[in-house]
Amino acid sequence: GAHIHGAHENFKFQISNFKFDSRMMDLTRKRLLYIAYPLLTVSEESAGGAEQILWTLEREMAARGISTTVAASAGSYVSGKLFSTGNACTQPDDFESRNREHQERTIELIRVRARHGRPFDLVHDQSGSFWPRASEIDVPVLATLHLPRHFYQPQYFESLPPNVSFNCVSESQAGEFSDLNPAIVPNGIPLERFHASLGSRNGLLWLGRICEEKGPHLALEIAARAGFTISIAGQVYPFTYHQRYFEREIAPRLAKMPNATWISSPSAKQKRKLVRESRAVLITSLVNETSSLVAMEAAASGTPVIAFRRGALPQVIEEGVTGFLVDGVDEAIQALKKIEQIKPEECIRYAREHFSSKTMAQAYTRLYTQLLRQSIESRTA
C-alpha cells in the first residue's frame, strides 16, 4: 500500500486499500456531509474528542471553499450548514432513542437531497454508529473510528455495506482494526488557538470526560501523594454509570482534598487557560487511548504531560520532550520530580511540527479524493 509520510514518522498516513494518486480532485465542487455523535451538540465548546475533531475538520474544509453540511443535535455551531436531527440528550440513558432519531433523520436528508438533484458526494461518519446503515443510501461513507475496538458492538463490523471505508486516528488503534484495512489519519488541533503562558504555572490539571476508564480518581491520588494542588476539569455525560462514578469516586475525594478544585464543563477559553497555566497535565487513562487531544493541546501550550503508557499515548507524547510516559501512580509521582526538564519552547515546536489541524485536513482531502475516485470507477466499471 502507499505510505504518505506525514506529520509524524510513527503516524505514517497510509491508505493501504487505495492506489495513491497524486492528482488531487477539486473538492470545492463536491458536497460533504459530516455525521456527528448524536448525544450532545457540536461546537468549539464540545467536551468529546470526536465532536472536537469534527468541529475542527469541518471548519478547515469550509475554509477551503468546500460545501459542508453537519448532521448534529440542535444548537450545534458549525462553519457550513447545520442539519438539526433533534435535541441533544438531557435525560440520563436516553442514547438509544436519540441515536435512532438522529440516524433516521440523517438518512431522510440524504435521500431528499438525492431526489432533488443535490446529492451528497461523500458522507464522513464521526458518530460512532451510523455506518452499519450505509446500505440504505447510495453514497460512499467514510467512518472515522475514535474508540478502542471493545467499545463497539461486534455486529457493527459484520456483513459491512460495500460503500463503507474506515479510518483510524493512530497506528496503535489501526492494529485493533487490521481486518478492516483502515486508512490512518492522525488527529490535529487548531494550533493558532493555543499559546504558552508568560506568567507563573501552578498545580496539576486533569481534563476530560469524567468516567471510570479515564481515571480521574487516580489523578487525585497522584496529586494528594505528591503534595500538589490539582484541578479536575470536565463534563459528566448523561449516563447513569458516569454519574454514579462521579458520586462514588470523585466527589468524596474532592471533599477530603482542600488543594483539589472541580471545574464542571469548562468553556474552550477556560480550558486553554487551565492548560497553559498548569505545571503539568495528567493523563491517567485505564484504556488504550486511540489519540489524545489533551496531550496535543498541552504541547501546543508548552505544558508537560505525564501519561500512562496506554494505546496511542506513546505515539502522541515524545518522551523527555513533551512529557513522560509512566506505568501507574508511583511512577507518575516520580516523574513529577523532573517536570522542570521539559522545556515549553520544545513542546511548542513539537506541536507545530506534528499536531496541525491543517495537516489533518490535507490528509483527509487526499483520502476523500481516493474514495470519490474509487466510487466513480466502481460505477463506470
Side-chain angles (χ1 to χ4, degrees):
H3 282 269
I4 304 159
H5 292 270
H8 194 307
E9 63 199 348
N10 292 343
F11 272 162
K12 294 181 194 74
F13 166 61
Q14 64 187 44
I15 313 184
S16 39
N17 43 351
F18 309 110
K19 290 185 176 62
F20 179 60
D21 187 333
S22 58
R23 290 171 301 143
M24 292 293 271
M25 189 179 279
D26 180 11
L27 293 179
T28 56
R29 297 201 201 98
K30 304 295 178 189
R31 300 185 189 98
L32 302 183
L33 173 65
Y34 289 93
I35 305 179
Y37 181 60
L39 195 74
L40 302 167
T41 55
V42 171
S43 75
E44 193 186 359
E45 308 298 334
S46 295
E51 292 94 318
Q52 288 179 47
I53 289 298
L54 189 158
W55 183 85
T56 301
L57 176 61
E58 188 261 345
R59 179 170 163 262
E60 291 284 356
M61 292 299 175
R64 286 166 160 72
I66 296 164
S67 167
T68 59
T69 303
V70 180
S73 295
S76 294
Y77 287 93
V78 300
S79 299
K81 297 187 189 80
L82 172 66
F83 174 75
S84 163
T85 61
N87 292 323
C89 289
T90 50
Q91 300 305 309
D93 309 324
D94 203 16
F95 178 78
E96 290 306 326
S97 61
R98 169 71 190 112
N99 196 26
R100 255 194 316 279
E101 171 187 56
H102 180 63
Q103 291 185 357
E104 295 298 337
R105 290 190 179 174
T106 301
I107 287 169
E108 183 57 21
L109 167 72
I110 294 165
R111 288 174 174 166
V112 165
R113 289 285 296 261
R115 280 203 300 273
H116 288 86
R118 291 182 298 119
F120 291 108
D121 297 286
L122 180 74
V123 171
H124 190 167
D125 175 20
Q126 303 231 22
S127 72
S129 62
F130 178 83
W131 76 84
R133 302 195 61 178
S135 57
E136 299 174 46
I137 56 173
D138 186 23
V139 188
V141 174
L142 171 67
T144 290
L145 302 168
H146 289 284
L147 300 172
R149 185 142 192 168
H150 68 274
F151 279 62
Y152 296 100
Q153 297 174 26
Q155 66 266 28
Y156 280 13
F157 302 104
E158 289 162 14
S159 56
L160 287 164
N163 56 332
V164 174
S165 305
F166 290 95
N167 172 68
C168 287
V169 295
S170 63
E171 297 242 333
S172 75
Q173 182 199 26
E176 295 186 14
F177 293 99
S178 55
D179 55 313
L180 305 177
N181 205 8
I184 301 173
V185 181
N187 290 332
I189 58 170
L191 291 171
E192 70 281 358
R193 292 179 177 243
F194 298 88
H195 57 86
S197 173
L198 300 172
S200 62
R201 294 165 172 272
N202 291 300
L204 305 177
L205 173 67
W206 185 98
L207 177 64
R209 275 188 302 116
I210 305 291
C211 55
E212 192 147 14
E213 64 264 19
K214 297 278 186 188
H217 61 286
L218 297 175
L220 287 167
E221 186 186 335
I222 291 162
R225 284 175 51 192
F228 275 81
T229 61
I230 186 167
S231 296
I232 301 284
Q235 186 169 355
V236 185
Y237 274 28
F239 292 120
T240 302
Y241 71 102
H242 287 191
Q243 292 166 348
R244 283 193 186 135
Y245 165 75
F246 182 83
E247 288 156 19
R248 183 182 72 243
E249 301 289 347
I250 303 303
R253 283 179 168 86
L254 289 168
K256 283 201 289 262
M257 289 175 64
N259 61 348
T261 310
W262 160 237
I263 301 160
S264 178
S265 303
S267 69
K269 190 176 173 186
Q270 209 177 351
K271 279 191 267 194
R272 290 194 290 266
K273 185 175 190 293
L274 285 165
V275 171
R276 72 172 172 263
E277 291 181 357
S278 298
R279 285 182 66 187
V281 171
L282 300 179
I283 300 175
T284 49
S285 189
L286 298 168
V287 293
N288 288 338
E289 291 293 331
T290 57
S291 178
S292 177
L293 299 184
V294 172
M296 295 178 187
E297 291 167 0
S301 310
T303 303
V305 169
I306 294 172
F308 288 180
R309 199 187 309 275
R310 302 295 304 246
L313 287 165
Q315 292 172 329
V316 178
I317 293 154
E318 187 70 6
E319 181 77 41
V321 177
T322 64
F324 299 106
L325 294 155
V326 298
D327 295 303
V329 169
D330 293 344
E331 284 189 20
I333 292 164
Q334 291 306 309
L336 280 171
K337 295 174 181 167
K338 51 180 187 175
I339 51 171
E340 305 308 323
Q341 293 173 19
I342 302 294
K343 301 284 178 281
E345 55 280 10
E346 285 299 300
C347 288
I348 292 165
R349 180 191 59 75
Y350 192 88
R352 285 188 183 145
E353 285 174 14
H354 299 284
F355 304 142
S356 166
S357 58
K358 291 184 171 35
T359 305
M360 171 178 71
Q362 255 167 331
Y364 272 119
T365 301
R366 289 189 199 120
L367 184 48
Y368 293 169
T369 299
Q370 297 288 8
L371 291 170
L372 289 164
R373 197 164 276 143
Q374 226 181 30
S375 172
I376 293 162
E377 283 166 11
S378 68
R379 283 163 200 264
T380 52

